Amino acid sequence: MKYYIILIIACFLTVTSCTRVMDTKPLDKYTGSDVWSNYGLTQGYIYECYSNCAGYIFSWNYDAITKSIRNHPWGGGYTSEKTEQIDRNNDEGWGAFGNIRRVNLVLQNIPASSFTTVQKNTFLGEAHFLRAAIYSNLAFRFGGVQLVKDVLTVESDFNIGRSSLKETYDFILKDLDDAADLLPQTNDRGRAGKGAAYALKMRVALQAGAYLNDKNYYTVVKTAGDKLFALGQYSLDDYSNLFNAYSTAVASPENILVFEMKNTNTSFSSTPMQSLVCNSDMIPSKLTDAAMQKFPLKESIEGWMNYAPTQDLVDDYLVTDADGKERKWNQTTLNQTGGSAYEKMYKNRDKRFYASIICDSSKYFGNWAYLRADGNASSNVQPLNGGNINGGASVTGYLFAKYLYQAKKLWYSDPTDFCYSVLRLGEAYLNYAEACIRLGDEANARTYLTKTYQVHGGFKNNITSTDENLWNDYRRERHIEMILETGDRYWSLLRWGMQLTGGLKQGYENTGVAIPELNGKEHGIAISSDGKTYQVFEMNEQNGQELKFTPKRYLFPVPQSKIVALPILTQNAGW
């Protein structure tokens, strides 16, 4: 069957590799035989697959479904999900099968190409990796899904039902095994190597172990981790290097796989920065008179506020107390003796706090951000009483610093380079630690948990806890380590709930654990105008509702329109 592949790949091609094709065809249209016989075109096609598929594994804003992030009036997705104002008609990402077809075309056509064995293996390994990435996203959301292993044609039987949860996870893990066997140890930046296959396998197997209630998958996590660590290719970096500057992010020895966006086709508005930054200026429509007098801005702040951290997140960043021990901020001697709210709450925090959170009296681009009463970056809603009078300011008392490059003023249309961390060693260490805990190996769990705790957190002490205290330390460490990455907070809360429930067993939609961190009110901090006193307050989401989680949401609904179109599909329980 003859088919055409439409690509926008000119920026990836070299004149030498595609001269013959360019002499006879327009750049945006090639037959399949053209693509699979020309290395430059095939490489361009693979790059396009990465561009289409990478979002399935970094999903930076998916944590907005949790209490850790408050959605703001200027945007902020997932309010309906987190307050459970959804039904079976919602589509939470089922339509990924077009990208699966694109990857399957690689697997079908590369074996017969004239490329070298190394080139073939690399392309095939990347295709297996990307297909696993797509299917892992589907499995996390929906459970068992349709497994399309080959390229479908008009003659194919499209009557494909959902595979079981175990079949789906095992298919993904097999793809990652094939990827690890085929991929080189090192690849071009932004392209998967063996380490990426091992790291994604750890993430997937950890979720599979919980949903299938099968400890064998935790052994899979450890085995993949041992192979990843044995490569000797990655090392922990300063946490701020990963998220606070493009130049250090792309060069970080901790990153296993990144998704890089170049300023030639990227502006601030198409990066997380635009959605994380408040909107404030020295004009009466944005700041009150009191704010302009007390806390004037040196430059305007031009974000489109969508998301802000909550006190529920900030509480998990520990403080090194006067005796050198780490404690929650409200349990320290500093909280009793500090003369200001900053000294009581924000001194001597985990290093990741300063790389991730903008609190009151923090440097913010060319300004000092004040999130107190009459502040220049806080909303005037009660009880904040901030000085920003429009919708573009924080309603929690905090802003995000993670994924912000503050060396240059944010302006929505300005070109900018940006780098997402897709897979990194810090997450792999945490995955390994959790697998060890589930297998009863607390000593190794403490070893791997201590790595991020010390290097990223800046603490001198080791993790020494046991039993339930160790589990609580692990949950806290993962919360602050992985916020705004891959939807990790949301998927972790579901995974831990599944572990308590005993897996996705029959009746889970009624008897599964109702996760406390996904129910109830969120919390913010309100600081007085003089910066000396504070209060923690409760709030609902932006739609006026409390967070709501019922056990049916361990899986999202299959969109009802898909079931109507293909009745062989079954609906997830409770929807």
Side-chain angles (χ1 to χ4, degrees):
M1 177 181 177
K2 189 175 182 180
Y3 55 88
Y4 287 87
I5 299 175
I6 307 300
L7 301 170
I8 303 172
I9 58 174
C11 61
F12 303 119
L13 304 181
T14 65
V15 174
T16 301
S17 66
C18 61
T19 298
R20 186 180 71 256
V21 175
M22 289 172 64
D23 285 343
T24 59
K25 290 181 175 63
L27 266 178
D28 66 341
K29 193 172 186 179
Y30 304 98
T31 65
S33 59
D34 288 336
V35 171
W36 311 119
S37 63
N38 184 285
Y39 183 79
L41 291 176
T42 302
Q43 191 172 44
Y45 183 86
I46 288 288
Y47 288 152
E48 190 78 359
C49 288
Y50 273 102
S51 181
N52 291 333
C53 300
Y56 295 120
I57 44 176
F58 65 70
S59 303
W60 71 272
N61 59 350
Y62 218 67
D63 287 342
I65 301 181
T66 74
K67 281 185 180 179
S68 303
I69 296 175
R70 171 57 152 75
N71 293 330
H72 276 57
W74 280 16
Y78 310 117
T79 296
S80 296
E81 287 85 346
K82 73 193 296 185
T83 58
E84 217 161 89
Q85 305 293 305
I86 59 174
D87 59 25
R88 62 169 56 193
N89 295 306
N90 278 67
D91 189 342
E92 300 294 338
W94 183 269
F97 292 94
N99 285 325
I100 292 170
R101 175 181 172 79
R102 292 183 183 96
V103 174
N104 281 342
L105 282 167
V106 180
L107 295 171
Q108 173 182 277
N109 288 285
I110 288 299
S113 71
S114 60
F115 306 145
T116 67
T117 300
V118 171
Q119 290 171 337
K120 286 183 179 181
N121 286 347
T122 300
F123 286 143
L124 291 170
E126 289 175 302
H128 282 292
F129 173 84
L130 291 170
R131 189 169 67 177
I134 300 169
Y135 269 117
S136 65
N137 180 273
L138 290 171
F140 280 27
R141 293 167 189 263
F142 303 106
V145 294
Q146 296 165 287
L147 297 180
V148 183
K149 304 176 183 180
D150 302 300
V151 177
L152 300 179
T153 70
V154 293
E155 291 85 17
S156 298
D157 181 4
F158 285 82
N159 203 36
I160 303 172
R162 298 176 66 184
S163 294
S164 71
L165 186 66
K166 179 173 174 53
E167 288 169 338
T168 299
Y169 272 115
D170 286 349
F171 177 73
I172 297 166
L173 294 173
K174 175 61 166 58
D175 255 349
L176 290 169
D177 284 338
D178 291 341
D181 288 342
L182 292 163
L183 286 168
Q185 182 168 329
T186 59
N187 205 346
D188 296 337
R189 190 168 73 206
R191 299 176 66 180
K194 288 185 184 297
Y198 295 140
L200 184 56
K201 187 176 182 181
M202 295 177 76
R203 183 189 295 175
V204 171
L206 199 61
Q207 209 76 3
Y211 273 73
L212 293 167
N213 194 32
D214 186 344
K215 288 189 175 182
N216 289 323
Y217 289 95
Y218 300 129
T219 301
V220 172
V221 176
K222 288 188 65 178
T223 300
D226 290 336
K227 292 179 179 179
L228 172 64
F229 308 149
L231 295 176
Q233 196 170 342
Y234 312 101
S235 59
L236 293 181
D237 196 3
D238 187 282
Y239 195 77
S240 64
N241 286 344
L242 291 161
F243 305 108
N244 298 139
Y246 166 81
S247 60
T248 55
V250 295
S252 176
E254 181 167 340
N255 276 323
I256 298 170
L257 182 66
V258 298
F259 183 67
E260 183 181 357
M261 302 169 70
K262 297 297 294 179
N263 62 21
T264 51
N265 59 3
T266 304
S267 63
F268 273 109
S269 63
S270 56
T271 73
M273 293 187 278
Q274 193 71 54
S275 298
L276 299 177
V277 174
C278 69
N279 188 284
S280 198
D281 202 352
M282 293 290 287
I283 54 177
S285 62
K286 293 186 179 181
L287 288 184
T288 63
D289 289 341
M292 287 190 279
Q293 292 172 10
K294 294 179 181 180
F295 309 111
L297 295 166
K298 289 186 177 180
E299 65 180 26
S300 60
I301 308 172
E302 302 289 349
W304 300 335
M305 190 77 187
N306 279 214
Y307 309 105
T310 62
Q311 191 67 41
D312 305 274
L313 168 61
V314 169
D315 281 347
D316 271 350
Y317 293 91
L318 298 182
V319 176
T320 301
D321 207 354
D323 61 359
K325 295 182 179 179
E326 297 85 36
R327 296 186 176 91
K328 289 287 187 82
W329 67 272
N330 55 5
Q331 299 170 359
T332 64
T333 56
L334 295 172
N335 186 250
Q336 304 300 316
T337 61
S340 67
Y342 189 93
E343 292 173 340
K344 290 175 182 291
M345 292 188 289
Y346 305 132
K347 283 188 66 176
N348 299 346
R349 281 282 181 114
D350 185 310
K351 286 173 57 179
R352 288 166 291 193
F353 175 79
Y354 306 106
S356 302
I357 306 295
I358 300 294
C359 63
D360 185 73
S361 305
S362 294
K363 194 75 169 59
Y364 196 49
F365 295 97
N367 301 290
W368 288 95
Y370 291 94
L371 290 122
R372 60 181 71 177
D374 298 327
N376 55 27
S378 56
S379 170
N380 68 340
V381 300
Q382 293 285 347
L384 287 166
N385 301 314
N388 193 306
I389 57 179
N390 70 2
S394 174
V395 300
T396 68
Y398 299 103
L399 297 162
F400 273 112
K402 189 170 182 177
Y403 271 141
L404 292 194
Y405 304 158
Q406 296 186 54
K408 177 185 175 183
K409 175 185 172 179
L410 185 150
W411 183 254
Y412 75 100
S413 60
D414 279 0
T416 185
D417 296 316
F418 195 78
C419 179
Y420 292 94
S421 180
V422 179
L423 293 162
R424 62 183 178 88
L425 187 62
E427 182 199 348
Y429 282 157
L430 292 175
N431 291 339
Y432 198 90
E434 183 171 336
C436 288
I437 291 174
R438 304 313 302 175
L439 292 169
D441 184 2
E442 289 195 351
N444 261 324
R446 286 190 291 269
T447 295
Y448 282 91
L449 192 56
T450 296
K451 291 178 185 294
T452 55
Y453 186 72
Q454 291 184 338
V455 177
H456 288 165
F459 297 121
K460 295 181 180 179
N461 297 317
N462 294 331
I463 297 288
T464 59
S465 50
T466 60
D467 302 324
E468 190 65 23
N469 289 332
L470 176 61
W471 181 240
N472 290 335
D473 284 343
Y474 169 75
R475 285 167 58 101
R476 177 203 52 74
E477 178 71 9
R478 187 164 196 126
H479 189 192
I480 60 175
E481 176 75 18
M482 294 298 297
I483 194 67
L484 283 186
E485 294 180 66
T486 74
D488 187 85
R489 177 61 174 171
Y490 184 65
W491 303 128
S492 291
L493 289 171
L494 295 187
R495 182 173 68 252
W496 300 335
M498 270 286 102
Q499 289 166 354
L500 292 172
T501 297
L504 200 75
K505 54 191 178 184
Q506 187 173 5
Y508 74 90
E509 72 278 13
N510 297 312
T511 60
V513 171
I515 301 168
E517 295 90 343
L518 296 177
N519 274 297
K521 295 182 181 292
E522 298 159 321
H523 298 84
I525 193 84
I527 300 174
S528 62
S529 184
D530 63 7
K532 293 183 178 181
T533 60
Y534 62 88
Q535 64 168 310
V536 175
F537 64 93
E538 294 182 331
M539 62 186 139
N540 290 330
E541 246 307 314
Q542 64 161 307
N543 63 356
Q545 304 290 317
E546 292 188 8
L547 276 68
K548 181 181 179 181
F549 175 89
T550 57
K552 68 180 181 182
R553 214 174 86 216
Y554 278 108
L555 296 176
F556 281 125
V558 178
Q560 189 63 22
S561 61
K562 306 299 182 183
I563 296 176
V564 170
L566 187 63
I568 195 175
L569 295 179
T570 56
Q571 183 57 269
N572 283 329
W575 296 102

